[in-house]
Amino acid sequence: MAAVCVAVISKQNFPLYLRSVNPQNEADLQFQYLVHASIDVVEEKVSTLGTPKAGQDPREHYLGLLYPSEQYKVYGYATNTRVKFILVVENTTSQSRDTEMKMLFKNLHVAYADMLCNPFYTPGQKITSRTFNNAVSSIFQMSKGFTSKE
Amino acid sequence: MSRQGRPQDTRKVSGELFSLTYGALVAQLVRDYEKDEEVNQQLDKMGYNIGVRLIEDFFARSQQGRCHDFAQAADVLTKVGFKMFLGVVPTVANWSAKGDEFSLILDQNPLVDFVELPETHQGLLYSNIICGVIRGALEMVQLEVKVWFVQDQLRGSDSTEIRVKFLKKLEDAVPAGED
């Protein structure tokens, strides 16, 4: 499972960051559409987070698979401040593992937190940080490594 | 010369809090002033004002004696001063032939932990406050120096280099009976 697109969505549901593996690709618009469509599912899942069911970690940020499309699968993650991360991965036959997805999101979360600490970044701005970009690139790389597994 | 027997201050502030506070300060200055040069100047001025006070604290805590030459001063500055207040020990390097100029090489600068300079502020010397602190502190011990940044990690260099140049000894500033 190779991740093809990463998006960060603010609390008020406007996009802070969207990047796909091949930026010149025409599929870019499609990703925007996919991510936009996923917001509804995210909202729904987030609203149930407040009332954790038994056996569920209340600190769990990972929202799991939001929805599959023909080509892609969309995964979500929401922080306690309701900033959402969306990952679009290629829909292959191999089963992607939740633990792997969680790890990718965890890395993304850490990169986001570091980026937010930059005094020159105003929260709510579009993310243009170079270090964040690099972190996303390494997430793309890392997700490719998972493909070898079943 | 120093307040003897001051108990070791064990209160510590988190490094992240420190660098975030400094970041907020610089970001505010950048908003308030139009040119990067003006911000650099303000930082240097603030640093100077900190330095002239900080030197007292330094002596009170370190019980450091007088330095006999500039090389020794450089040594104390890095191994005791920087270690005490920033928790890092810069390397002293690149002495000039006359021995009146040296560089402080910082592999790690605690002030710039999360910082990324915006494209529009490439002229900003983010950690310029350090220059002011060194200048202010050394002036209080009768050393007039010029301090400036040679290279900065934030601008893509491998390490941060601060140049310190000895200008003159401030003989007049020595109060009578001090020698």
Side-chain angles (χ1 to χ4, degrees):
Chain A
M1 52 147 216
V4 284
C5 174
V6 168
V8 180
I9 293 162
S10 78
K11 189 181 174 183
Q12 290 88 9
N13 285 340
F14 57 82
L16 292 175
Y17 183 89
L18 191 133
R19 187 171 148 218
S20 53
V21 182
N22 309 309
Q24 275 83 42
N25 204 319
E26 279 189 4
D28 242 28
L29 205 62
Q30 196 196 345
F31 288 134
Q32 291 204 19
Y33 169 73
L34 272 176
V35 170
H36 182 243
S38 68
I39 290 179
D40 277 343
V41 191
V42 170
E43 285 284 280
E44 194 184 310
K45 294 217 178 199
V46 163
S47 61
T48 62
L49 274 185
T51 51
K53 293 180 220 86
Q56 198 185 337
D57 186 0
R59 286 164 303 172
E60 181 62 65
H61 301 307
Y62 179 60
L63 301 174
L65 177 67
L66 299 178
Y67 66 90
S69 75
E70 259 170 51
Q71 267 180 295
Y72 306 107
K73 279 182 181 163
V74 186
Y75 288 86
Y77 181 99
T79 69
N80 279 336
T81 52
R82 296 293 173 257
V83 174
K84 295 105 183 166
F85 303 120
I86 310 280
L87 261 176
V88 183
V89 298
E90 272 171 352
N91 197 352
T92 50
T93 44
S94 67
Q95 193 72 48
S96 56
R97 289 187 186 144
D98 269 358
T99 45
E100 290 168 351
M101 290 311 294
K102 275 184 193 170
M103 203 170 84
L104 293 180
F105 276 121
K106 189 87 207 143
N107 287 349
L108 194 60
H109 195 171
V110 169
Y112 176 76
D114 280 353
M115 190 280 311
L116 202 66
C117 284
N118 179 7
F120 295 107
Y121 174 78
T122 326
Q125 252 179 4
K126 280 242 164 205
I127 300 171
T128 52
S129 158
R130 247 174 296 118
T131 37
F132 187 75
N133 249 329
N134 293 342
V136 171
S137 302
S138 68
I139 283 170
F140 284 143
Q141 279 303 320
M142 208 194 292
S143 70
K144 270 186 208 150
F146 293 148
T147 38
S148 54
K149 288 175 201 156
E150 258 299 281
Chain B
M1 181 171 73
S2 65
R3 290 174 287 168
Q4 296 286 332
R6 174 175 158 157
Q8 267 296 319
D9 208 340
T10 49
R11 281 170 301 168
K12 289 264 158 56
V13 69
S14 129
E16 284 184 6
L17 174 66
F18 174 63
S19 50
L20 285 176
T21 312
Y22 183 68
L25 173 88
V26 179
Q28 186 60 45
L29 278 177
V30 167
R31 248 172 268 140
D32 289 351
Y33 289 88
E34 281 170 15
K35 292 202 190 84
D36 288 348
E37 290 74 37
E38 287 177 78
V39 178
N40 297 344
Q41 211 185 344
Q42 281 300 319
L43 284 175
D44 184 77
K45 213 157 98 187
M46 279 182 194
Y48 175 81
N49 288 327
I50 294 173
V52 296
R53 293 164 173 82
L54 204 62
I55 188 80
E56 290 302 337
D57 191 49
F58 170 74
F59 282 128
R61 286 212 252 168
S62 68
Q63 275 128 44
Q64 191 69 44
R66 235 165 212 290
C67 293
H68 297 290
D69 56 19
F70 199 46
Q72 201 188 348
D75 220 39
V76 172
L77 176 71
T78 53
K79 293 201 181 108
V80 190
F82 267 79
K83 194 169 168 39
M84 185 184 291
F85 296 112
L86 284 180
V88 290
V89 180
T91 332
V92 180
N94 305 342
W95 278 95
S96 67
K98 272 166 72 191
D100 64 343
E101 226 182 300
F102 65 89
S103 288
L104 298 170
I105 316 263
L106 285 143
D107 297 324
Q108 207 200 347
N109 182 352
L111 292 178
V112 301
D113 271 350
F114 306 104
V115 181
E116 220 174 293
L117 279 189
E119 297 284 326
T120 44
H121 292 288
Q122 291 299 321
L124 180 69
L125 294 167
Y126 185 83
S127 314
N128 210 29
I129 202 161
I130 297 180
C131 294
V133 173
I134 297 174
R135 187 165 62 89
L138 289 184
E139 190 180 301
M140 288 295 110
V141 287
Q142 288 87 45
L143 286 171
E144 191 177 327
V145 289
K146 189 177 170 215
V147 191
W148 69 97
F149 264 90
V150 182
Q151 48 179 356
D152 194 342
Q153 270 164 339
L154 288 181
R155 302 197 198 183
S157 314
D158 289 336
S159 57
T160 302
E161 182 176 352
I162 301 170
R163 196 87 179 140
V164 182
K165 184 179 168 59
F166 173 75
L167 295 178
K168 66 169 189 274
K169 228 178 149 193
L170 297 163
E171 301 285 358
D172 301 340
V174 183
E178 176 77 3
D179 274 338

